């Protein structure tokens, strides 16, 4: 099967690889569409030392599921953590944190920039019929955005700052807007901020944000400067959610966190059913977030496009539905 | 009045200063005893740019309280934050976080390494009769230790790691031991760990701590290495409490916090009544934590002693009761 290969911190082009061989309990999924996220770009620069096929934001169609034939033919999205199911973390309801886990296209398991990918049936969710591929492909990042609301209670009237107007910041802002909170997005890109302003979301350049204003800040830039900015804009005893991938060690003012008794919350994967529901009901609209769609054969070019300034989501089209 | 002076990031000896002039609502307190904490040592190296009389862990006797004569003659301890009472933070119940606040001996207000100090009556707490000065002087740091329990629910059976066996780590360990949690203290000083082992508290050298073990870790060393250690010993979705003063910017692995969905909680001042209650009932025993007592005239020598390795709490005796 054709697949994009990543090795030693760099993409190595699209080549022919042996077809995935699903283990018991797994399905073989024909990939339709797969999105590129910031973590993919970091992997392609060496983050986490991954070697293999990247890609974890997929929508596909089940072509074989020997242990669960009901799934065959269904259009699906897939949760990315493949856990052991029996360790202390799995038993305690923290399966995405299993120490033995593989993660689709990120750690120890091939991902979905490929014609086919093997995925445990337990990780699959059916895509509702009315939901187009290029919307369903946002399920994984939308779920990650919704994880913030699973971790931090956010309701009407609370002052929430999103830092970053990129693809993750857009999803954070749009999902948080549904809570009735007093939302503000700080970003550097007038055209991206305009997409939010058009939806009635307040936006500012980062240096125009008022100090000690926010009850909750969500950092979506992956830049330590975003963390420093959040600490200035948060009120004392406020909550700072880290939502991005940060390479290496970042310089942080721990004393600011102590003196202001800030709570900092790391946030990763989120609830797929909630994301699918919001996308299917169109309460979460992502129609303006796709910057480009490239065929799999242009996988490297797609990554270059995703890394270039001004882009939002870049998708890789592997097959038609 | 005689007082220790700190300026331009260095102690300037004990000298004669004008007597404090209590504002309306304030009391004049004759200082009996005042402890040196890590924040004092950092102030004496330039942290927070403080100029003035340091000292915020005091026990004293009210000599004048024109607006509240009932307080005259009482032996007291004092909360250290002096807030405006009317800003958004004060109105929201976050008086210790008032942006206009002064902090006794730390920010904008003279502290208690002096014969007399002025303190708002609202900040005073009466010391119960049976409680000796050299125990009551631990009220402020014991309250700071108890703040952790106000912020993070900790109960029987939870696995809690305290990093640091110094004076703050000792108070953290001893207050946390009262919760029934499964407690472990990591430290480098066999003699200090022995004080805890004698009380039935489990201890280890830092490198012997098991990975992914703790539900909650409390960092009490003020060293970024302690933060890195905590991130290794915490389980995913665990809570890391920062309890110390950290100078400058510290290198932190933000990705570890994101990937493991760690919650990091900054923790500062705590509940005085609870601290006084535990000290008075002797459930919290601090009798073995005083390394040395120096007279005020030897203030600089007391600081040097507090900064030297192997020491626990160093006290400055200003006057007899």
């Amino acid at each position: 099967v054709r697949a994009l290969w990543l090795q030693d911190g760099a993409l190595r082009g699209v080549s022919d690889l042996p077809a995935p061989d699903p283990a018991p309990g797994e399905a073989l999924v024909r990939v339709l569409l797969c999105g590129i996220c910031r973590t993919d770009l970091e992997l392609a620069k060496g983050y986490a030392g991954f070697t293999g096929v990247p890609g974890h934001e997929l929508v596909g169609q089940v072509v074989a599921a020997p242990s669960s034939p009901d799934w065959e033919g269904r259009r699906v999205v897939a949760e990315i953590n493949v856990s052991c199911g029996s360790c202390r973390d799995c038993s305690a309801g923290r399966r995405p944190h299993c120490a033995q886990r593989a993660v689709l296209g990120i750690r120890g398991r091939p991902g979905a920039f490929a014609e086919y990918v093997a995925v445990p049936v337990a990780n699959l969710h059916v895509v509702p019929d009315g939901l187009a591929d290029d919307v369903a492909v946002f399920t994984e990042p939308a779920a990650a955005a919704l994880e913030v609301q699973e971790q931090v209670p956010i309701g009407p009237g609370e002052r929430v700052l999103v830092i970053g107007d990129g693809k993750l910041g857009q999803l954070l802002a749009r999902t948080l807007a549904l809570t009735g909170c007093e939302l503000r997005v700080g970003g550097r890109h007038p055209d991206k901020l305009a997409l939010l302003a058009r939806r009635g979301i307040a936006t500012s350049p980062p240096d125009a944000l008022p100090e000690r204003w926010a009850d909750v800040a969500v950092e979506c830039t992956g830049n330590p400067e975003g963390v420093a900015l959040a600490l200035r804009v948060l009120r004392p005893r406020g909550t700072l959610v880290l939502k991005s991938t940060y390479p290496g060690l970042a310089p942080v003012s721990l004393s600011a966190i102590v003196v202001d008794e800030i709570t900092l919350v790391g946030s990763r994967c989120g609830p797929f059913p909630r994301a699918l529901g919001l996308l299917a009901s169109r309460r979460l609209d992502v129609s303006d977030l796709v910057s480009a769609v490239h065929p799999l054969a242009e996988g490297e070019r797609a990554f270059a496009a995703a890394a270039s300034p001004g882009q939002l989501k870049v998708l890789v089209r592997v097959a038609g539905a």
Side-chain angles (χ1 to χ4, degrees), chain A residues 58-303:
Chain A
L58 74 132
V59 55
Q61 190 153 27
V62 177
V63 293
S67 59
S68 315
D70 284 1
W71 282 90
E72 287 173 14
R74 297 217 175 158
R75 202 159 52 107
V76 294
V77 289
E79 297 196 46
I80 69 176
N81 298 288
V82 181
S83 308
C84 78
S86 58
C87 67
R88 179 179 171 225
D89 288 300
C90 286
S91 307
R94 298 188 294 266
R95 294 183 62 116
H97 292 283
C98 171
Q100 313 305 324
R101 75 183 176 278
V103 185
L104 236 60
I106 295 177
R107 175 162 139 177
R109 197 173 171 110
F113 293 121
E115 290 177 298
Y116 294 92
V117 62
V119 184
V121 170
N123 286 43
L124 299 178
H125 295 264
V126 172
V127 176
D129 277 344
L131 198 55
D133 291 349
D134 60 0
V135 177
V137 76
F138 282 89
T139 305
E140 198 278 337
L146 289 164
E147 175 75 351
V148 174
Q149 297 180 38
E150 304 273 323
Q151 295 174 291
V152 180
I154 294 174
E158 274 177 297
R159 296 175 177 177
V160 180
L161 170 71
V162 171
I163 301 174
D165 52 19
K167 46 195 180 292
L168 185 56
Q170 294 279 338
L171 290 172
L172 256 303
R174 294 168 192 214
T175 48
L176 286 167
L178 303 173
T179 67
C181 71
E182 190 181 338
L183 181 63
R184 195 151 173 172
V185 179
R188 296 187 192 285
H189 307 93
D191 52 329
K192 294 179 183 176
L193 293 176
L195 298 178
L196 296 168
R198 207 171 293 155
R199 292 160 194 278
I201 294 172
T203 65
S204 330
D207 47 12
L209 293 164
E211 293 199 1
R212 299 169 72 95
W213 175 83
D215 299 306
V216 177
V218 186
E219 208 297 307
C220 301
T221 70
N223 192 321
E225 285 170 34
V227 176
L229 174 65
L231 291 175
R232 283 197 301 278
V233 178
L234 273 176
R235 66 158 170 86
R237 292 196 187 144
T239 299
L240 167 52
V241 184
L242 298 183
K243 197 61 238 186
S244 197
T245 301
Y246 302 81
L249 297 174
V252 177
S253 170
L254 297 178
S255 274
I257 293 171
V258 171
V259 169
D260 286 343
E261 297 196 319
I262 297 297
T263 294
L264 197 149
V265 178
S267 179
R268 193 164 48 102
C269 301
F272 269 51
R274 218 176 143 187
L276 276 169
L278 289 173
L279 290 168
S281 68
R282 297 174 205 270
R283 293 190 67 200
L284 174 59
D285 177 16
V286 296
S287 56
D288 54 356
L289 294 183
V290 177
S291 293
V293 184
H294 291 262
L296 178 60
E298 293 175 6
E300 286 184 284
R301 199 191 291 182
F303 267 63

